[in-house]
Amino acid sequence: MEGNRDEAEKCMLIARKALEAGDKEKALKFLNKAEKLYPTDKAKVLLDALTRNGNSAGSGASCRKPTDSTDGGKSEKESNSSGAGETAKSFTKDQVEGVQRIKKCKDYYEVLSVTKEANEEELKKAYRKLALKFHPDKNHAPGATDAFKKIGNAYAVLSNSEKRKQYDLTGGEDTTCSPQGRGGFDFHRGFEADVTPEDLFNMFFGGGFPSNSASTFTNGRARYSPQYQNQTRRERQEDRADGGFSMFVQLMPIVLLILVSVLSQLMVSTPPYSLYPRPATGQTIKRQTENLVVDYYVSKDFRSEYKGTALQKIEKGVEEDYVSTIRNNCWKERQTKTDLLYAAKVYRDERLRRKADMMTMDNCKELDRLNDLFRGG
């Protein structure tokens, strides 16, 4: 008997459609069939109302109990009892109307009640609201499960950029019944979701992740593959391994840069002299050039390695470096003194003027000495 329940509900849906179209005979036929397949109070109420009122007592959006002429046909909640000791399940007029709205939608944007320009956040917000409203555990109206699946499929397609582009190019979705007469939606016109509606719901509200095998609803409850947890654990281990390799690849340029820097420093030879003492390189022995009498420092092996022409080239290089350094330092001294004198004049600050006058200008004096040697030479 329990196996005929789904077929009975499908007959109920067909009966409601017939009532909407004004076909009373067809509605009575399928209501009687539903009552034979799986007797419910819902079918009895519709049959009784249709027989007494002689019109579309069930409007397709709600199921009405028979009333007298004074109550104006006020709608009430219907009980959807299994008749076999199960807890009675009820649904409201709003829930039935919501299912009918989803059923009549021509495309996925209309299903989620969003525009074609909706971004990811707007899609998520719309899906959360509708998924909670139409989940079979909460909504027991006829067709709620199909509506829930359609909502999940709509979000899965529109949230995938590639599938969304294809969907926008090919148009909307047909909501007619399948050729087998199942009365359901045609979900698979080239736009299959990568996850099932149940897995998608759990990702939003239960913290789960999609399983490889499809989950199905049984009396409004989700049933998952028994290998779900093991599969998830393996995927996480693989992700950690991939993460370690990715980190190594990202660090490779930095490591190579450090190695190149170290090798370049090792390959560059230390100059044979320095204008200042350098204990780190052993250049602590003081010498003077023969021409300009410039002090420079060398290591203990310098005397044996550089003689004659080689020594003359070294001393020439020392003097050129020294003159260049003195010239730059002299320019800085003159610039500093000029700035001080200008500031003293602008701000009428005698202290700045005295400071400028007290500058010794050692580098400029040394440059003058070197120029005199060139001229005398």
Side-chain angles (χ1 to χ4, degrees), residues 340-351:
L340 288 172
L341 291 173
Y342 178 79
K345 182 179 179 181
V346 171
Y347 298 107
R348 297 181 181 180
D349 190 334
E350 187 64 21
R351 182 181 59 85

Side-chain angles (χ1 to χ4, degrees), residues 47-79:
L47 279 170
D48 187 41
L50 187 59
T51 302
R52 289 186 181 186
N53 297 337
N55 56 22
S56 56
S59 65
S62 64
C63 301
R64 303 180 187 271
K65 291 184 179 180
T67 59
D68 56 29
S69 60
T70 61
D71 61 11
K74 295 182 180 178
S75 63
E76 300 178 356
K77 292 185 178 180
E78 293 183 286
S79 63

Side-chain angles (χ1 to χ4, degrees), residues 125-157:
K125 183 177 179 181
Y127 172 77
R128 285 192 181 98
K129 180 179 178 181
L130 293 173
L132 288 173
K133 182 177 180 180
F134 290 93
H135 193 282
D137 281 355
K138 184 176 180 181
N139 190 328
H140 304 293
T145 299
D146 285 341
F148 176 74
K149 291 178 181 178
K150 188 167 186 176
I151 292 165
N153 211 43
Y155 175 78
V157 170

